[in-house]
Amino acid sequence: MSSFIKAYKVPILAGFFSVLLYWFFAFELVRSDFLRLLGLYAGLFVFAYILIKYCGWNFWLLAGFGTVFRLVFYPAIPNLSQDFYRFILDGQLMASFTNPYLYTPLELQQNTALLEFGNLNMLIEGMGNLNASHYSNYPPVNQLFFLLADLFPGKSILSTVVGLRTLIILADLGTLYVGKRLLGLLGMPKHTIFWFFLNPFIIIECTGNLHFEGVMLFFLLAGLYQLFKQRWIWAAVLIGLSVSVKLIPLLFLPLFFRYFVRKGAVGKGLTRLSAFYTVAIGTVAITFAPFLSSEFIANFSKTISLWFQDFEFNASVYYIIRYIGFQTIGWNIIADVGKVLPVIVFASVLLLSFFRRNETPKALITAMLLAVSIYFLLSTTVHPWYIATPLLLGLFTRYRYALLWSFMGIVSYAAYGANGFDENLWWVALEYVVVIGYAIWELALRKDRSGL
């Protein structure tokens, strides 16, 4: 035992102090205390770097550290996000056989004939009136996880939080397993996956704040692994499930064109591509089928459109366009710009799909990384947990700007002050100048792209 401690003294100390910092994060931190948040976050990144540097070769030791760090959050109520209150309510609606897409929480509160939950008022107060005034935008497989969490023993908010956290941790463990195998398949260092699994950003935003990007990414990564192993039907099913957790993988579907349709095998490729799309989209359709109605379509599409034409947070290019609009026209042009930017994103994805040779696994994943980066670059709303997608994809490519972004994204929490929400655009500018600057250097100027 003493020889083990002596050999692993530095990692053990880094792990011990990481546990302390995660404990402070989970139980002592107030979201409005931005400087403390930033200090804890920076310290955790330093310790994560030390762990990977000193024992990146010891897979099980690092897997153990990452699991322990997640367990620290188990009895904690999220303190950086209120979204989990909506997850709990949607899960309760599912458990009572009520379609969660048909009513806003405020409508439920006003019409007690619909259903009666003893903690409805508490959940609405927790999620806030903005969230409570809109219909649910979480796809059906995500709703299934909310239901499963509601079935955990106990009927308190904490018991459901424990259920949600258990499912998210299991997904992260799945990503660790599949990620290691995929890196091996691509001939890349297997310890690279720990820049996801030990990343404080992932531990805090997914395990801590209960965002389901990690679950979506498990299905997506598992689908890609099956695809590269030539099991494309299973790949299509898994990617379809990822879409039904979070809609973002829809963005990637056109990119598979060149992977299937290769020079010299166009006919066979088109046949397999058509079948792949049929299975993937069919999987999504099956998950949505129990909820389909004209009301569902109207409510769901209305809520999705809010992210493009109403909500503004931590944007980059859009804020520049908005500033120009104020200077030239005199008002906020989000309603118009929010219709144009998605068209530009779609056109960019089509260019990547048809004019880029996405015929190898690394080339395909790189195209996915570029597509999602363009999407977030042109989005009007970029919550920090969104960065999980480019972060994970980037680990299977030459590029590491998304890893830097996972650190810089924390500055968006500067908007939540003691006096309420007030976004400081200097922090936003710092975030994107650093990230975009490094991305340009990697994509256009850096000659040594061997990766980490």
Side-chain angles (χ1 to χ4, degrees), residues 5-6 45 57 59 72 86 111 134 156 164 170 175 191 211 232 246 298 313 327 329 343 374-375 402 415 426 443 450:
I5 294 176
K6 184 177 181 180
F45 257 89
W57 53 272
F59 180 87
V72 171
R86 185 59 179 264
N111 189 345
H134 298 122
S156 66
L164 292 167
L170 289 174
T175 299
H191 75 270
H211 294 295
W232 55 270
K246 295 281 185 177
F313 181 74
Q327 298 301 312
I329 302 176
V343 175
I374 292 170
Y375 171 66
W426 287 110
L443 293 168
S450 57

Side-chain angles (χ1 to χ4, degrees), residues 230 232 260-261 266-278:
Q230 307 303 316
W232 55 270
F260 281 91
V261 183
V266 174
K268 184 179 179 180
L270 285 173
T271 300
R272 286 192 173 182
L273 178 66
S274 299
F276 175 82
Y277 282 152
T278 300

Side-chain angles (χ1 to χ4, degrees), residues 84-95:
F84 72 97
Y85 289 106
R86 185 59 179 264
F87 304 164
I88 294 174
L89 179 58
D90 280 9
Q92 291 181 352
L93 288 167
M94 292 280 287

Side-chain angles (χ1 to χ4, degrees), residues 100-396:
Y101 300 109
L102 299 186
Y103 311 102
T104 70
L106 292 181
E107 289 174 349
L108 294 174
Q109 190 179 45
Q110 295 163 6
N111 189 345
T112 55
L114 293 174
L115 75 167
E116 294 183 2
F117 290 143
N119 61 356
L120 177 61
N121 291 335
M122 185 186 304
L123 293 174
I124 290 176
E125 181 180 356
M127 72 180 71
N129 283 334
L130 179 62
N131 193 324
S133 64
H134 298 122
Y135 298 99
S136 182
N137 67 328
Y138 302 106
V141 172
N142 210 347
Q143 297 286 354
L144 175 61
F145 285 116
F146 300 160
L147 170 62
L148 292 176
D150 184 70
L151 299 179
F152 269 62
K155 286 299 178 182
S156 66
I157 288 177
L158 180 58
S159 68
T160 311
V161 164
V162 169
L164 292 167
R165 194 160 278 144
T166 300
L167 296 169
I168 290 170
I169 291 175
L170 289 174
D172 279 355
L173 289 170
T175 299
L176 175 65
Y177 172 77
V178 177
K180 176 189 175 184
R181 293 177 68 88
L182 182 54
L183 286 166
L185 186 66
L186 298 178
M188 301 178 69
K190 295 180 181 179
H191 75 270
T192 305
I193 192 60
F194 286 107
W195 287 108
F196 176 88
F197 193 70
L198 284 178
N199 195 310
F201 158 73
I202 293 296
I203 295 173
I204 291 167
E205 291 295 356
C206 294
T207 300
N209 294 333
L210 300 178
H211 294 295
F212 273 74
E213 268 66 18
V215 178
M216 176 270 288
L217 288 171
F218 164 69
F219 284 118
L220 178 64
L221 198 65
L224 290 174
Y225 180 74
Q226 294 297 320
L227 179 66
F228 302 149
K229 294 291 285 185
Q230 307 303 316
R231 296 189 283 262
W232 55 270
I233 294 179
W234 278 113
V237 171
L238 289 165
I239 291 172
L241 291 175
S242 75
V243 171
S244 202
V245 177
K246 295 281 185 177
L247 296 179
I248 190 67
L250 281 173
L251 186 72
F252 304 137
L253 291 183
L255 299 172
F256 291 97
F257 176 81
R258 291 295 294 271
Y259 186 81
F260 281 91
V261 183
R262 305 180 188 183
K263 187 176 181 180
V266 174
K268 184 179 179 180
L270 285 173
T271 300
R272 286 192 173 182
L273 178 66
S274 299
F276 175 82
Y277 282 152
T278 300
V279 174
I281 296 172
T283 300
V284 177
I286 289 171
T287 64
F288 273 90
F291 304 96
L292 285 180
S293 67
S294 58
E295 288 179 280
F296 160 77
I297 294 173
N299 294 345
F300 195 73
S301 58
K302 178 181 178 182
T303 303
I304 295 299
S305 68
L306 293 173
W307 298 98
F308 298 98
Q309 299 180 36
D310 285 81
F311 295 157
E312 303 172 332
F313 181 74
N314 194 36
S316 53
V317 171
Y318 163 70
Y319 279 167
I320 297 174
I321 296 173
R322 186 184 67 176
Y323 174 79
I324 295 173
F326 273 120
Q327 298 301 312
T328 57
I329 302 176
W331 64 79
N332 193 336
I333 57 176
I334 185 173
D336 297 316
V337 173
K339 297 175 182 177
V340 175
L341 292 180
V343 175
I344 297 175
V345 171
F346 183 66
S348 300
V349 172
L350 291 182
L351 289 174
L352 288 172
S353 302
F354 298 114
F355 296 98
R356 192 177 187 278
R357 298 179 65 86
N358 306 320
E359 298 177 356
T360 65
K362 284 186 179 180
L364 176 60
I365 297 177
T366 300
M368 296 168 70
L369 172 64
L370 295 175
V372 76
S373 299
I374 292 170
Y375 171 66
F376 288 142
L377 191 67
L378 299 179
S379 292
T380 62
T381 302
V382 183
H383 288 296
W385 51 91
Y386 294 0
I387 303 167
T389 301
L391 168 65
L392 183 61
L393 292 174
L395 298 181
F396 300 92

Side-chain angles (χ1 to χ4, degrees), residues 27-57:
F27 298 101
E28 298 293 328
L29 182 66
V30 177
R31 184 171 65 175
S32 58
D33 192 350
F34 174 67
L35 292 181
R36 176 180 289 187
L37 186 157
L38 188 61
L40 290 172
Y41 196 69
L44 287 167
F45 257 89
V46 170
F47 291 132
Y49 172 78
I50 291 173
L51 286 171
I52 296 173
K53 178 181 178 181
Y54 276 86
C55 48
W57 53 272

